Amino acid sequence: MAEDVNTAVEVLQKHHLKITKQRRTMLSFLCQRPDHYTDVTSLDAYMRDFYPGMSHATIYRNVKEFEDLGLVEQQVNGDQARIKFQCDFANMHHHHFICRNCGKVTELTMCPMDFFANQLPGAQIEGHRFEMYGLCADCVAAGAE
Amino acid sequence: MAEDVNTAVEVLQKHHLKITKQRRTMLSFLCQRPDHYTDVTSLDAYMRDFYPGMSHATIYRNVKEFEDLGLVEQQVNGDQARIKFQCDFANMHHHHFICRNCGKVTELTMCPMDFFANQLPGAQIEGHRFEMYGLCADCVAAGAE
DNA sequence: TTATTAAAAAGTAACGATTACTATTAAGTA
DNA sequence: TACTTAATAGTAATCGTTACTTTTTAATAA
């Protein structure tokens, strides 16, 4: 876990970005739950609690920078953004099962793209989005909802 | 096309909802492009141009009601909602390829779910989201971007 | 057709996530 | 230790969306 933060910090350095205590705290926070999506508003609340008077703008700007660097994955559901620490910087293509109760993310192997490409002759496929959601095994066992 | 509006109106009646001229206009507008997603803000602008002084609340409330009735499909991309008239009330399960240039929607046959269910023992899968995006054949031919 | 009534619309104004902007602070480097 | 420039704080704005209250209007019955 602290491992991952250091790896992320190295990425920042490699891009000549400054290592501020705020950024380090943000990364630590995200790193605590590498397999869960976190509302950016929760991160915002946490940071402003940790550093009273910290600016919204700083948090959102850093989120965007982390995303550009591939340190976090962003996902929009409804009206607010959620992000997740990205551990495997190797960045192998994969998809997610997201638990609606606890936010836990399970990575899925295999990508369904191949089955569809030939249905769109002439089109230029630039990307895709595939997610499954529901209750993870733990939440089912705990009797959620 | 007017066909589809009438079908939608029947659905409203069936649920004891009133057929107002505003609702009829909204449905007509959406029905003009049954294979394209439209920003709700565009619909909002159109309606307020058509009925000067029309309330935002009315438009958004109706969008929500149409969605509850299955008359439109909603999809959130980024910061604003997009909707699409739902023609096939039979509502056969399918997925979409969405052109980022013109918003055109192509329905895809086959669903990738079956391949993944067995990767999540114990979980309760409640839904999924699969979309492909890029440029449709027309936009590619027209040399978009 | 007219009266009735419940739902829908208008007309504010607010809310909440996100962002622009400027002055100040602090991280990185010499 | 001083310097330079990126990062932060602080303030306020933006924009999509919604809550609330009053007024209007579609649907139904007399």
Side-chain angles (χ1 to χ4, degrees):
Chain A
M1 184 171 103
E3 286 286 299
D4 293 329
V5 174
N6 290 338
T7 311
V9 165
E10 284 171 24
V11 174
L12 290 182
Q13 286 172 329
K14 196 164 300 173
H15 289 261
H16 308 294
L17 297 174
K18 293 184 177 175
I19 317 300
T20 64
K21 57 187 193 301
Q22 291 91 337
R23 282 179 174 168
R24 208 181 275 274
T25 304
M26 285 181 70
L27 290 169
S28 296
F29 178 77
L30 293 170
C31 200
Q32 280 169 19
R33 309 184 88 205
D35 58 348
H36 285 71
Y37 274 95
T38 305
D39 289 347
V40 176
T41 50
S42 300
L43 172 62
D44 185 61
Y46 174 83
M47 290 303 296
R48 285 163 64 84
D49 187 56
F50 202 92
Y51 298 102
M54 184 172 181
S55 175
H56 290 298
T58 300
I59 293 152
Y60 281 89
R61 181 167 16 79
N62 283 339
V63 164
K64 192 166 292 178
E65 255 153 17
F66 291 171
E67 200 192 355
D68 290 343
L69 295 173
L71 298 178
V72 302
E73 284 183 53
Q74 187 151 17
Q75 197 239 9
V76 185
N77 94 313
D79 53 344
Q80 69 201 85
R82 301 194 299 179
I83 54 174
K84 186 179 94 54
F85 193 76
Q86 171 61 284
C87 299
D88 55 346
F89 298 118
N91 206 15
M92 199 183 62
H93 183 74
H94 62 270
H95 295 285
H96 290 153
F97 171 81
I98 304 167
C99 180
R100 69 160 161 78
N101 190 243
C102 71
K104 179 175 180 178
V105 169
T106 306
E107 297 195 358
L108 302 171
T109 63
M110 179 158 64
C111 167
M113 280 299 288
D114 315 324
F115 302 109
F116 293 96
N118 60 351
Q119 288 189 38
L120 299 161
Q124 179 178 318
I125 299 169
E126 297 176 340
H128 63 287
R129 189 178 300 136
F130 176 66
E131 291 151 13
M132 293 168 62
Y133 45 90
L135 290 173
C136 69
D138 291 345
C139 287
V140 169
E145 183 105 331
Chain B
M1 184 171 101
E3 286 285 298
D4 294 329
V5 173
N6 290 337
T7 310
V9 166
E10 283 171 24
V11 173
L12 291 180
Q13 287 173 330
K14 196 164 299 171
H15 289 261
H16 307 293
L17 297 174
K18 295 185 177 175
I19 317 301
T20 64
K21 57 186 191 301
Q22 291 92 336
R23 283 179 173 167
R24 207 181 275 274
T25 303
M26 285 180 70
L27 290 170
S28 296
F29 178 77
L30 292 170
C31 201
Q32 280 169 20
R33 308 183 89 204
D35 57 349
H36 285 71
Y37 273 96
T38 304
D39 290 347
V40 176
T41 50
S42 300
L43 171 61
D44 185 62
Y46 174 83
M47 290 303 294
R48 286 163 64 83
D49 187 55
F50 203 92
Y51 298 102
M54 184 172 181
S55 175
H56 290 297
T58 300
I59 293 153
Y60 282 90
R61 180 165 18 78
N62 283 340
V63 164
K64 193 167 290 176
E65 256 154 18
F66 292 169
E67 200 190 355
D68 290 343
L69 294 173
L71 298 179
V72 301
E73 285 184 51
Q74 186 151 17
Q75 198 239 9
V76 186
N77 94 313
D79 53 345
Q80 68 201 84
R82 300 194 299 179
I83 54 175
K84 185 179 94 55
F85 193 76
Q86 172 61 283
C87 299
D88 55 345
F89 298 119
N91 206 14
M92 199 182 64
H93 183 73
H94 62 269
H95 295 284
H96 290 153
F97 171 81
I98 305 168
C99 180
R100 71 160 159 79
N101 191 243
C102 69
K104 178 175 181 177
V105 170
T106 306
E107 297 196 354
L108 302 171
T109 63
M110 178 158 66
C111 168
M113 280 299 288
D114 316 325
F115 302 108
F116 294 95
N118 61 352
Q119 290 189 35
L120 298 161
Q124 179 178 317
I125 299 169
E126 297 176 337
H128 62 288
R129 189 179 300 136
F130 177 66
E131 290 151 13
M132 293 167 63
Y133 44 90
L135 290 174
C136 69
D138 291 346
C139 286
V140 168
E145 182 108 331

